[in-house]
PDB file of all heavy atoms in Angstrom:
ATOM      1  N   VAL A   1      -6.280  10.941  16.239  1.00  0.00           N
ATOM      2  CA  VAL A   1      -7.654  11.112  16.698  1.00  0.00           C
ATOM      3  C   VAL A   1      -7.687  12.191  17.761  1.00  0.00           C
ATOM      4  O   VAL A   1      -6.903  12.172  18.708  1.00  0.00           O
ATOM      5  CB  VAL A   1      -8.203   9.796  17.270  1.00  0.00           C
ATOM      6  CG1 VAL A   1      -9.613   9.996  17.780  1.00  0.00           C
ATOM      7  CG2 VAL A   1      -8.171   8.713  16.211  1.00  0.00           C
ATOM      8  N   THR A   2      -8.558  13.150  17.624  1.00  0.00           N
ATOM      9  CA  THR A   2      -8.688  14.225  18.598  1.00  0.00           C
ATOM     10  C   THR A   2     -10.055  14.158  19.250  1.00  0.00           C
ATOM     11  O   THR A   2     -11.000  13.599  18.709  1.00  0.00           O
ATOM     12  CB  THR A   2      -8.503  15.600  17.918  1.00  0.00           C
ATOM     13  OG1 THR A   2      -9.460  15.730  16.875  1.00  0.00           O
ATOM     14  CG2 THR A   2      -7.103  15.727  17.343  1.00  0.00           C
ATOM     15  N   SER A   3     -10.166  14.750  20.435  1.00  0.00           N
ATOM     16  CA  SER A   3     -11.435  14.688  21.168  1.00  0.00           C
ATOM     17  C   SER A   3     -12.445  15.697  20.644  1.00  0.00           C
ATOM     18  O   SER A   3     -13.626  15.572  20.877  1.00  0.00           O
ATOM     19  CB  SER A   3     -11.188  14.931  22.657  1.00  0.00           C
ATOM     20  OG  SER A   3     -10.586  16.191  22.844  1.00  0.00           O
ATOM     21  N   ARG A   4     -11.955  16.726  19.920  1.00  0.00           N
ATOM     22  CA  ARG A   4     -12.863  17.708  19.339  1.00  0.00           C
ATOM     23  C   ARG A   4     -12.544  17.863  17.857  1.00  0.00           C
ATOM     24  O   ARG A   4     -11.390  17.897  17.458  1.00  0.00           O
ATOM     25  CB  ARG A   4     -12.714  19.060  20.029  1.00  0.00           C
ATOM     26  CG  ARG A   4     -13.257  19.078  21.457  1.00  0.00           C
ATOM     27  CD  ARG A   4     -13.225  20.490  21.998  1.00  0.00           C
ATOM     28  NE  ARG A   4     -13.771  20.546  23.348  1.00  0.00           N
ATOM     29  CZ  ARG A   4     -13.883  21.682  24.045  1.00  0.00           C
ATOM     30  NH1 ARG A   4     -13.508  22.829  23.515  1.00  0.00           N
ATOM     31  NH2 ARG A   4     -14.378  21.657  25.260  1.00  0.00           N
ATOM     32  N   LEU A   5     -13.577  17.962  17.080  1.00  0.00           N
ATOM     33  CA  LEU A   5     -13.394  18.103  15.638  1.00  0.00           C
ATOM     34  C   LEU A   5     -13.997  19.416  15.169  1.00  0.00           C
ATOM     35  O   LEU A   5     -15.198  19.662  15.346  1.00  0.00           O
ATOM     36  CB  LEU A   5     -14.077  16.929  14.910  1.00  0.00           C
ATOM     37  CG  LEU A   5     -13.484  15.548  15.175  1.00  0.00           C
ATOM     38  CD1 LEU A   5     -14.348  14.489  14.515  1.00  0.00           C
ATOM     39  CD2 LEU A   5     -12.073  15.460  14.650  1.00  0.00           C
ATOM     40  N   ASN A   6     -13.150  20.258  14.613  1.00  0.00           N
ATOM     41  CA  ASN A   6     -13.658  21.511  14.054  1.00  0.00           C
ATOM     42  C   ASN A   6     -14.282  21.291  12.686  1.00  0.00           C
ATOM     43  O   ASN A   6     -15.164  22.031  12.267  1.00  0.00           O
ATOM     44  CB  ASN A   6     -12.513  22.529  13.958  1.00  0.00           C
ATOM     45  CG  ASN A   6     -11.986  22.931  15.326  1.00  0.00           C
ATOM     46  OD1 ASN A   6     -12.769  23.044  16.260  1.00  0.00           O
ATOM     47  ND2 ASN A   6     -10.676  23.117  15.444  1.00  0.00           N
ATOM     48  N   ASP A   7     -13.823  20.254  11.971  1.00  0.00           N
ATOM     49  CA  ASP A   7     -14.327  19.963  10.634  1.00  0.00           C
ATOM     50  C   ASP A   7     -15.221  18.730  10.696  1.00  0.00           C
ATOM     51  O   ASP A   7     -14.743  17.602  10.774  1.00  0.00           O
ATOM     52  CB  ASP A   7     -13.145  19.727   9.679  1.00  0.00           C
ATOM     53  CG  ASP A   7     -13.610  19.530   8.243  1.00  0.00           C
ATOM     54  OD1 ASP A   7     -14.830  19.546   8.009  1.00  0.00           O
ATOM     55  OD2 ASP A   7     -12.742  19.344   7.365  1.00  0.00           O
ATOM     56  N   ARG A   8     -16.519  18.936  10.680  1.00  0.00           N
ATOM     57  CA  ARG A   8     -17.452  17.820  10.795  1.00  0.00           C
ATOM     58  C   ARG A   8     -17.482  16.952   9.536  1.00  0.00           C
ATOM     59  O   ARG A   8     -18.070  15.893   9.529  1.00  0.00           O
ATOM     60  CB  ARG A   8     -18.860  18.357  11.091  1.00  0.00           C
ATOM     61  CG  ARG A   8     -18.985  18.977  12.472  1.00  0.00           C
ATOM     62  CD  ARG A   8     -18.820  17.944  13.563  1.00  0.00           C
ATOM     63  NE  ARG A   8     -18.819  18.556  14.889  1.00  0.00           N
ATOM     64  CZ  ARG A   8     -18.630  17.875  16.010  1.00  0.00           C
ATOM     65  NH1 ARG A   8     -18.390  16.582  15.953  1.00  0.00           N
ATOM     66  NH2 ARG A   8     -18.626  18.491  17.183  1.00  0.00           N
ATOM     67  N   ARG A   9     -16.863  17.436   8.473  1.00  0.00           N
ATOM     68  CA  ARG A   9     -16.809  16.644   7.242  1.00  0.00           C
ATOM     69  C   ARG A   9     -15.693  15.598   7.282  1.00  0.00           C
ATOM     70  O   ARG A   9     -15.620  14.737   6.420  1.00  0.00           O
ATOM     71  CB  ARG A   9     -16.603  17.559   6.046  1.00  0.00           C
ATOM     72  CG  ARG A   9     -17.729  18.554   5.798  1.00  0.00           C
ATOM     73  CD  ARG A   9     -17.323  19.568   4.764  1.00  0.00           C
ATOM     74  NE  ARG A   9     -16.134  20.319   5.198  1.00  0.00           N
ATOM     75  CZ  ARG A   9     -15.489  21.179   4.418  1.00  0.00           C
ATOM     76  NH1 ARG A   9     -15.898  21.401   3.187  1.00  0.00           N
ATOM     77  NH2 ARG A   9     -14.429  21.818   4.883  1.00  0.00           N
ATOM     78  N   ARG A  10     -14.819  15.687   8.251  1.00  0.00           N
ATOM     79  CA  ARG A  10     -13.660  14.796   8.321  1.00  0.00           C
ATOM     80  C   ARG A  10     -14.104  13.357   8.585  1.00  0.00           C
ATOM     81  O   ARG A  10     -14.890  13.091   9.483  1.00  0.00           O
ATOM     82  CB  ARG A  10     -12.712  15.269   9.422  1.00  0.00           C
ATOM     83  CG  ARG A  10     -11.428  14.445   9.545  1.00  0.00           C
ATOM     84  CD  ARG A  10     -10.526  15.041  10.610  1.00  0.00           C
ATOM     85  NE  ARG A  10     -10.022  16.336  10.203  1.00  0.00           N
ATOM     86  CZ  ARG A  10      -8.924  16.532   9.477  1.00  0.00           C
ATOM     87  NH1 ARG A  10      -8.206  15.480   9.082  1.00  0.00           N
ATOM     88  NH2 ARG A  10      -8.540  17.741   9.151  1.00  0.00           N
ATOM     89  N   TRP A  11     -13.576  12.443   7.787  1.00  0.00           N
ATOM     90  CA  TRP A  11     -13.892  11.029   7.965  1.00  0.00           C
ATOM     91  C   TRP A  11     -12.953  10.403   8.994  1.00  0.00           C
ATOM     92  O   TRP A  11     -11.770  10.761   9.065  1.00  0.00           O
ATOM     93  CB  TRP A  11     -13.733  10.260   6.658  1.00  0.00           C
ATOM     94  CG  TRP A  11     -14.550  10.733   5.513  1.00  0.00           C
ATOM     95  CD1 TRP A  11     -15.483  11.737   5.498  1.00  0.00           C
ATOM     96  CD2 TRP A  11     -14.505  10.225   4.176  1.00  0.00           C
ATOM     97  NE1 TRP A  11     -16.028  11.880   4.256  1.00  0.00           N
ATOM     98  CE2 TRP A  11     -15.437  10.967   3.408  1.00  0.00           C
ATOM     99  CE3 TRP A  11     -13.769   9.230   3.547  1.00  0.00           C
ATOM    100  CZ2 TRP A  11     -15.651  10.727   2.055  1.00  0.00           C
ATOM    101  CZ3 TRP A  11     -13.971   8.990   2.196  1.00  0.00           C
ATOM    102  CH2 TRP A  11     -14.907   9.724   1.459  1.00  0.00           C
ATOM    103  N   GLY A  12     -13.468   9.464   9.724  1.00  0.00           N
ATOM    104  CA  GLY A  12     -12.633   8.586  10.548  1.00  0.00           C
ATOM    105  C   GLY A  12     -12.534   7.251   9.827  1.00  0.00           C
ATOM    106  O   GLY A  12     -13.521   6.518   9.726  1.00  0.00           O
ATOM    107  N   ILE A  13     -11.351   6.921   9.292  1.00  0.00           N
ATOM    108  CA  ILE A  13     -11.181   5.727   8.462  1.00  0.00           C
ATOM    109  C   ILE A  13     -10.464   4.630   9.247  1.00  0.00           C
ATOM    110  O   ILE A  13      -9.425   4.870   9.869  1.00  0.00           O
ATOM    111  CB  ILE A  13     -10.374   6.057   7.188  1.00  0.00           C
ATOM    112  CG1 ILE A  13     -11.125   7.084   6.330  1.00  0.00           C
ATOM    113  CG2 ILE A  13     -10.116   4.792   6.379  1.00  0.00           C
ATOM    114  CD1 ILE A  13     -10.394   7.467   5.048  1.00  0.00           C
ATOM    115  N   ILE A  14     -11.037   3.436   9.195  1.00  0.00           N
ATOM    116  CA  ILE A  14     -10.397   2.245   9.766  1.00  0.00           C
ATOM    117  C   ILE A  14     -10.029   1.332   8.610  1.00  0.00           C
ATOM    118  O   ILE A  14     -10.904   0.872   7.867  1.00  0.00           O
ATOM    119  CB  ILE A  14     -11.338   1.511  10.733  1.00  0.00           C
ATOM    120  CG1 ILE A  14     -11.826   2.453  11.829  1.00  0.00           C
ATOM    121  CG2 ILE A  14     -10.630   0.300  11.346  1.00  0.00           C
ATOM    122  CD1 ILE A  14     -12.911   1.853  12.707  1.00  0.00           C
ATOM    123  N   TYR A  15      -8.747   1.073   8.456  1.00  0.00           N
ATOM    124  CA  TYR A  15      -8.266   0.218   7.369  1.00  0.00           C
ATOM    125  C   TYR A  15      -7.977  -1.180   7.902  1.00  0.00           C
ATOM    126  O   TYR A  15      -7.215  -1.355   8.846  1.00  0.00           O
ATOM    127  CB  TYR A  15      -7.005   0.801   6.739  1.00  0.00           C
ATOM    128  CG  TYR A  15      -6.387  -0.100   5.685  1.00  0.00           C
ATOM    129  CD1 TYR A  15      -7.062  -0.366   4.503  1.00  0.00           C
ATOM    130  CD2 TYR A  15      -5.143  -0.695   5.887  1.00  0.00           C
ATOM    131  CE1 TYR A  15      -6.512  -1.201   3.538  1.00  0.00           C
ATOM    132  CE2 TYR A  15      -4.588  -1.526   4.928  1.00  0.00           C
ATOM    133  CZ  TYR A  15      -5.277  -1.769   3.751  1.00  0.00           C
ATOM    134  OH  TYR A  15      -4.733  -2.598   2.802  1.00  0.00           O
ATOM    135  N   CYS A  16      -8.613  -2.182   7.286  1.00  0.00           N
ATOM    136  CA  CYS A  16      -8.444  -3.578   7.690  1.00  0.00           C
ATOM    137  C   CYS A  16      -7.806  -4.346   6.536  1.00  0.00           C
ATOM    138  O   CYS A  16      -8.472  -4.582   5.518  1.00  0.00           O
ATOM    139  CB  CYS A  16      -9.794  -4.205   8.026  1.00  0.00           C
ATOM    140  SG  CYS A  16     -10.803  -3.191   9.117  1.00  0.00           S
ATOM    141  N   PRO A  17      -6.542  -4.728   6.644  1.00  0.00           N
ATOM    142  CA  PRO A  17      -5.892  -5.485   5.571  1.00  0.00           C
ATOM    143  C   PRO A  17      -6.632  -6.782   5.289  1.00  0.00           C
ATOM    144  O   PRO A  17      -7.181  -7.418   6.196  1.00  0.00           O
ATOM    145  CB  PRO A  17      -4.485  -5.753   6.118  1.00  0.00           C
ATOM    146  CG  PRO A  17      -4.278  -4.695   7.152  1.00  0.00           C
ATOM    147  CD  PRO A  17      -5.625  -4.456   7.754  1.00  0.00           C
ATOM    148  N   ARG A  18      -6.652  -7.183   4.033  1.00  0.00           N
ATOM    149  CA  ARG A  18      -7.337  -8.410   3.637  1.00  0.00           C
ATOM    150  C   ARG A  18      -6.601  -9.627   4.176  1.00  0.00           C
ATOM    151  O   ARG A  18      -5.369  -9.681   4.185  1.00  0.00           O
ATOM    152  CB  ARG A  18      -7.425  -8.487   2.115  1.00  0.00           C
ATOM    153  CG  ARG A  18      -8.146  -9.732   1.600  1.00  0.00           C
ATOM    154  CD  ARG A  18      -8.185  -9.779   0.097  1.00  0.00           C
ATOM    155  NE  ARG A  18      -8.993  -8.705  -0.451  1.00  0.00           N
ATOM    156  CZ  ARG A  18      -9.181  -8.521  -1.756  1.00  0.00           C
ATOM    157  NH1 ARG A  18      -8.587  -9.319  -2.627  1.00  0.00           N
ATOM    158  NH2 ARG A  18      -9.935  -7.530  -2.175  1.00  0.00           N
ATOM    159  N   ILE A  19      -7.371 -10.630   4.609  1.00  0.00           N
ATOM    160  CA  ILE A  19      -6.779 -11.882   5.078  1.00  0.00           C
ATOM    161  C   ILE A  19      -5.977 -12.515   3.945  1.00  0.00           C
ATOM    162  O   ILE A  19      -6.460 -12.656   2.826  1.00  0.00           O
ATOM    163  CB  ILE A  19      -7.878 -12.857   5.557  1.00  0.00           C
ATOM    164  CG1 ILE A  19      -8.556 -12.304   6.814  1.00  0.00           C
ATOM    165  CG2 ILE A  19      -7.301 -14.241   5.835  1.00  0.00           C
ATOM    166  CD1 ILE A  19      -9.735 -13.117   7.267  1.00  0.00           C
ATOM    167  N   GLY A  20      -4.741 -12.897   4.235  1.00  0.00           N
ATOM    168  CA  GLY A  20      -3.898 -13.548   3.247  1.00  0.00           C
ATOM    169  C   GLY A  20      -3.129 -12.597   2.362  1.00  0.00           C
ATOM    170  O   GLY A  20      -2.351 -13.041   1.515  1.00  0.00           O
ATOM    171  N   ALA A  21      -3.312 -11.284   2.537  1.00  0.00           N
ATOM    172  CA  ALA A  21      -2.614 -10.317   1.693  1.00  0.00           C
ATOM    173  C   ALA A  21      -1.115 -10.348   1.985  1.00  0.00           C
ATOM    174  O   ALA A  21      -0.695 -10.348   3.141  1.00  0.00           O
ATOM    175  CB  ALA A  21      -3.163  -8.919   1.927  1.00  0.00           C
ATOM    176  N   VAL A  22      -0.301 -10.384   0.930  1.00  0.00           N
ATOM    177  CA  VAL A  22       1.156 -10.379   1.085  1.00  0.00           C
ATOM    178  C   VAL A  22       1.631  -8.973   1.429  1.00  0.00           C
ATOM    179  O   VAL A  22       2.416  -8.770   2.355  1.00  0.00           O
ATOM    180  CB  VAL A  22       1.840 -10.893  -0.198  1.00  0.00           C
ATOM    181  CG1 VAL A  22       3.353 -10.801  -0.065  1.00  0.00           C
ATOM    182  CG2 VAL A  22       1.412 -12.330  -0.491  1.00  0.00           C
ATOM    183  N   ASN A  23       1.152  -7.992   0.682  1.00  0.00           N
ATOM    184  CA  ASN A  23       1.484  -6.587   0.940  1.00  0.00           C
ATOM    185  C   ASN A  23       0.249  -5.925   1.548  1.00  0.00           C
ATOM    186  O   ASN A  23      -0.686  -5.556   0.853  1.00  0.00           O
ATOM    187  CB  ASN A  23       1.895  -5.887  -0.356  1.00  0.00           C
ATOM    188  CG  ASN A  23       2.415  -4.485  -0.117  1.00  0.00           C
ATOM    189  OD1 ASN A  23       2.166  -3.888   0.924  1.00  0.00           O
ATOM    190  ND2 ASN A  23       3.135  -3.956  -1.094  1.00  0.00           N
ATOM    191  N   LYS A  24       0.255  -5.779   2.873  1.00  0.00           N
ATOM    192  CA  LYS A  24      -0.945  -5.359   3.577  1.00  0.00           C
ATOM    193  C   LYS A  24      -1.340  -3.898   3.328  1.00  0.00           C
ATOM    194  O   LYS A  24      -2.478  -3.519   3.557  1.00  0.00           O
ATOM    195  CB  LYS A  24      -0.769  -5.595   5.084  1.00  0.00           C
ATOM    196  CG  LYS A  24      -0.716  -7.066   5.455  1.00  0.00           C
ATOM    197  CD  LYS A  24      -0.651  -7.240   6.952  1.00  0.00           C
ATOM    198  CE  LYS A  24      -0.665  -8.705   7.341  1.00  0.00           C
ATOM    199  NZ  LYS A  24      -1.908  -9.380   6.976  1.00  0.00           N
ATOM    200  N   ILE A  25      -0.385  -3.068   2.903  1.00  0.00           N
ATOM    201  CA  ILE A  25      -0.717  -1.645   2.732  1.00  0.00           C
ATOM    202  C   ILE A  25      -0.826  -1.230   1.271  1.00  0.00           C
ATOM    203  O   ILE A  25      -1.073  -0.065   0.982  1.00  0.00           O
ATOM    204  CB  ILE A  25       0.316  -0.749   3.450  1.00  0.00           C
ATOM    205  CG1 ILE A  25       1.705  -0.931   2.833  1.00  0.00           C
ATOM    206  CG2 ILE A  25       0.320  -1.021   4.943  1.00  0.00           C
ATOM    207  CD1 ILE A  25       2.709   0.068   3.372  1.00  0.00           C
ATOM    208  N   LYS A  26      -0.647  -2.183   0.341  1.00  0.00           N
ATOM    209  CA  LYS A  26      -0.728  -1.837  -1.077  1.00  0.00           C
ATOM    210  C   LYS A  26      -2.084  -1.239  -1.422  1.00  0.00           C
ATOM    211  O   LYS A  26      -2.162  -0.190  -2.089  1.00  0.00           O
ATOM    212  CB  LYS A  26      -0.465  -3.068  -1.938  1.00  0.00           C
ATOM    213  CG  LYS A  26      -0.565  -2.802  -3.433  1.00  0.00           C
ATOM    214  CD  LYS A  26      -0.330  -4.057  -4.243  1.00  0.00           C
ATOM    215  CE  LYS A  26      -0.482  -3.780  -5.733  1.00  0.00           C
ATOM    216  NZ  LYS A  26      -0.295  -5.016  -6.549  1.00  0.00           N
ATOM    217  N   LYS A  27      -3.162  -1.886  -0.973  1.00  0.00           N
ATOM    218  CA  LYS A  27      -4.510  -1.390  -1.283  1.00  0.00           C
ATOM    219  C   LYS A  27      -4.733  -0.017  -0.650  1.00  0.00           C
ATOM    220  O   LYS A  27      -5.339   0.870  -1.268  1.00  0.00           O
ATOM    221  CB  LYS A  27      -5.558  -2.393  -0.775  1.00  0.00           C
ATOM    222  CG  LYS A  27      -7.006  -2.038  -1.123  1.00  0.00           C
ATOM    223  CD  LYS A  27      -7.242  -2.080  -2.615  1.00  0.00           C
ATOM    224  CE  LYS A  27      -8.721  -1.919  -2.972  1.00  0.00           C
ATOM    225  NZ  LYS A  27      -9.531  -3.086  -2.599  1.00  0.00           N
ATOM    226  N   TRP A  28      -4.242   0.171   0.579  1.00  0.00           N
ATOM    227  CA  TRP A  28      -4.427   1.459   1.227  1.00  0.00           C
ATOM    228  C   TRP A  28      -3.727   2.567   0.459  1.00  0.00           C
ATOM    229  O   TRP A  28      -4.247   3.679   0.352  1.00  0.00           O
ATOM    230  CB  TRP A  28      -3.942   1.421   2.674  1.00  0.00           C
ATOM    231  CG  TRP A  28      -3.868   2.795   3.269  1.00  0.00           C
ATOM    232  CD1 TRP A  28      -2.770   3.485   3.672  1.00  0.00           C
ATOM    233  CD2 TRP A  28      -4.984   3.684   3.471  1.00  0.00           C
ATOM    234  NE1 TRP A  28      -3.105   4.735   4.119  1.00  0.00           N
ATOM    235  CE2 TRP A  28      -4.459   4.891   4.008  1.00  0.00           C
ATOM    236  CE3 TRP A  28      -6.362   3.584   3.252  1.00  0.00           C
ATOM    237  CZ2 TRP A  28      -5.266   5.973   4.323  1.00  0.00           C
ATOM    238  CZ3 TRP A  28      -7.157   4.670   3.570  1.00  0.00           C
ATOM    239  CH2 TRP A  28      -6.621   5.856   4.104  1.00  0.00           C
ATOM    240  N   ARG A  29      -2.550   2.309  -0.079  1.00  0.00           N
ATOM    241  CA  ARG A  29      -1.838   3.327  -0.857  1.00  0.00           C
ATOM    242  C   ARG A  29      -2.659   3.770  -2.063  1.00  0.00           C
ATOM    243  O   ARG A  29      -2.705   4.961  -2.399  1.00  0.00           O
ATOM    244  CB  ARG A  29      -0.482   2.785  -1.303  1.00  0.00           C
ATOM    245  CG  ARG A  29       0.554   2.682  -0.182  1.00  0.00           C
ATOM    246  CD  ARG A  29       1.794   1.961  -0.653  1.00  0.00           C
ATOM    247  NE  ARG A  29       2.812   1.930   0.387  1.00  0.00           N
ATOM    248  CZ  ARG A  29       3.873   1.132   0.354  1.00  0.00           C
ATOM    249  NH1 ARG A  29       4.050   0.300  -0.673  1.00  0.00           N
ATOM    250  NH2 ARG A  29       4.757   1.169   1.338  1.00  0.00           N
ATOM    251  N   GLU A  30      -3.324   2.831  -2.707  1.00  0.00           N
ATOM    252  CA  GLU A  30      -4.160   3.171  -3.856  1.00  0.00           C
ATOM    253  C   GLU A  30      -5.359   4.025  -3.413  1.00  0.00           C
ATOM    254  O   GLU A  30      -5.689   5.031  -4.067  1.00  0.00           O
ATOM    255  CB  GLU A  30      -4.650   1.890  -4.530  1.00  0.00           C
ATOM    256  CG  GLU A  30      -3.543   1.035  -5.129  1.00  0.00           C
ATOM    257  CD  GLU A  30      -4.059  -0.296  -5.637  1.00  0.00           C
ATOM    258  OE1 GLU A  30      -5.257  -0.585  -5.446  1.00  0.00           O
ATOM    259  OE2 GLU A  30      -3.259  -1.060  -6.214  1.00  0.00           O
ATOM    260  N   ILE A  31      -5.985   3.615  -2.318  1.00  0.00           N
ATOM    261  CA  ILE A  31      -7.141   4.362  -1.812  1.00  0.00           C
ATOM    262  C   ILE A  31      -6.710   5.751  -1.352  1.00  0.00           C
ATOM    263  O   ILE A  31      -7.374   6.757  -1.639  1.00  0.00           O
ATOM    264  CB  ILE A  31      -7.814   3.585  -0.662  1.00  0.00           C
ATOM    265  CG1 ILE A  31      -8.392   2.266  -1.188  1.00  0.00           C
ATOM    266  CG2 ILE A  31      -8.905   4.426  -0.002  1.00  0.00           C
ATOM    267  CD1 ILE A  31      -8.857   1.326  -0.098  1.00  0.00           C
ATOM    268  N   ARG A  32      -5.597   5.827  -0.652  1.00  0.00           N
ATOM    269  CA  ARG A  32      -5.094   7.122  -0.154  1.00  0.00           C
ATOM    270  C   ARG A  32      -4.836   8.097  -1.304  1.00  0.00           C
ATOM    271  O   ARG A  32      -5.190   9.281  -1.212  1.00  0.00           O
ATOM    272  CB  ARG A  32      -3.814   6.897   0.651  1.00  0.00           C
ATOM    273  CG  ARG A  32      -3.220   8.180   1.240  1.00  0.00           C
ATOM    274  CD  ARG A  32      -1.964   7.884   2.012  1.00  0.00           C
ATOM    275  NE  ARG A  32      -0.943   7.286   1.157  1.00  0.00           N
ATOM    276  CZ  ARG A  32       0.196   6.757   1.616  1.00  0.00           C
ATOM    277  NH1 ARG A  32       0.449   6.742   2.916  1.00  0.00           N
ATOM    278  NH2 ARG A  32       1.074   6.245   0.776  1.00  0.00           N
ATOM    279  N   ALA A  33      -4.245   7.586  -2.380  1.00  0.00           N
ATOM    280  CA  ALA A  33      -3.979   8.452  -3.536  1.00  0.00           C
ATOM    281  C   ALA A  33      -5.277   9.015  -4.109  1.00  0.00           C
ATOM    282  O   ALA A  33      -5.342  10.199  -4.496  1.00  0.00           O
ATOM    283  CB  ALA A  33      -3.218   7.670  -4.608  1.00  0.00           C
ATOM    284  N   TYR A  34      -6.324   8.194  -4.138  1.00  0.00           N
ATOM    285  CA  TYR A  34      -7.604   8.667  -4.669  1.00  0.00           C
ATOM    286  C   TYR A  34      -8.274   9.646  -3.714  1.00  0.00           C
ATOM    287  O   TYR A  34      -8.902  10.625  -4.150  1.00  0.00           O
ATOM    288  CB  TYR A  34      -8.523   7.484  -4.949  1.00  0.00           C
ATOM    289  CG  TYR A  34      -9.735   7.843  -5.781  1.00  0.00           C
ATOM    290  CD1 TYR A  34      -9.585   8.299  -7.087  1.00  0.00           C
ATOM    291  CD2 TYR A  34     -11.017   7.742  -5.259  1.00  0.00           C
ATOM    292  CE1 TYR A  34     -10.687   8.646  -7.855  1.00  0.00           C
ATOM    293  CE2 TYR A  34     -12.131   8.077  -6.018  1.00  0.00           C
ATOM    294  CZ  TYR A  34     -11.953   8.530  -7.312  1.00  0.00           C
ATOM    295  OH  TYR A  34     -13.051   8.884  -8.063  1.00  0.00           O
ATOM    296  N   LEU A  35      -8.137   9.431  -2.406  1.00  0.00           N
ATOM    297  CA  LEU A  35      -8.679  10.371  -1.427  1.00  0.00           C
ATOM    298  C   LEU A  35      -8.019  11.740  -1.565  1.00  0.00           C
ATOM    299  O   LEU A  35      -8.675  12.784  -1.487  1.00  0.00           O
ATOM    300  CB  LEU A  35      -8.476   9.829  -0.010  1.00  0.00           C
ATOM    301  CG  LEU A  35      -9.277   8.587   0.386  1.00  0.00           C
ATOM    302  CD1 LEU A  35      -8.794   8.050   1.728  1.00  0.00           C
ATOM    303  CD2 LEU A  35     -10.769   8.876   0.445  1.00  0.00           C
ATOM    304  N   ILE A  36      -6.696  11.733  -1.769  1.00  0.00           N
ATOM    305  CA  ILE A  36      -5.968  12.995  -1.965  1.00  0.00           C
ATOM    306  C   ILE A  36      -6.447  13.684  -3.237  1.00  0.00           C
ATOM    307  O   ILE A  36      -6.684  14.901  -3.269  1.00  0.00           O
ATOM    308  CB  ILE A  36      -4.455  12.732  -2.020  1.00  0.00           C
ATOM    309  CG1 ILE A  36      -3.954  12.254  -0.643  1.00  0.00           C
ATOM    310  CG2 ILE A  36      -3.699  13.989  -2.450  1.00  0.00           C
ATOM    311  CD1 ILE A  36      -2.528  11.770  -0.646  1.00  0.00           C
TER     312      ILE A  36
END
């Protein structure tokens, strides 16, 4: 996180793992691949 953003299109993403999830980052990996 930076105090100044040159790219106003940049998203600030907060990832919240699902309650009870065994692999907390599995869903994020799928989302990250699609964002890329």
Side-chain angles (χ1 to χ4, degrees):
V1 178
T2 57
S3 59
R4 289 187 178 181
L5 295 174
N6 295 323
D7 185 358
R8 292 294 175 183
R9 297 170 300 173
R10 183 177 293 273
W11 302 357
I13 298 180
I14 304 172
Y15 175 66
C16 312
R18 181 181 294 180
I19 293 174
V22 176
N23 187 341
K24 292 184 177 296
I25 63 172
K26 178 181 178 182
K27 184 65 172 290
W28 169 246
R29 287 172 177 165
E30 296 173 356
I31 295 170
R32 181 180 61 190
Y34 193 64
L35 292 171
I36 293 171

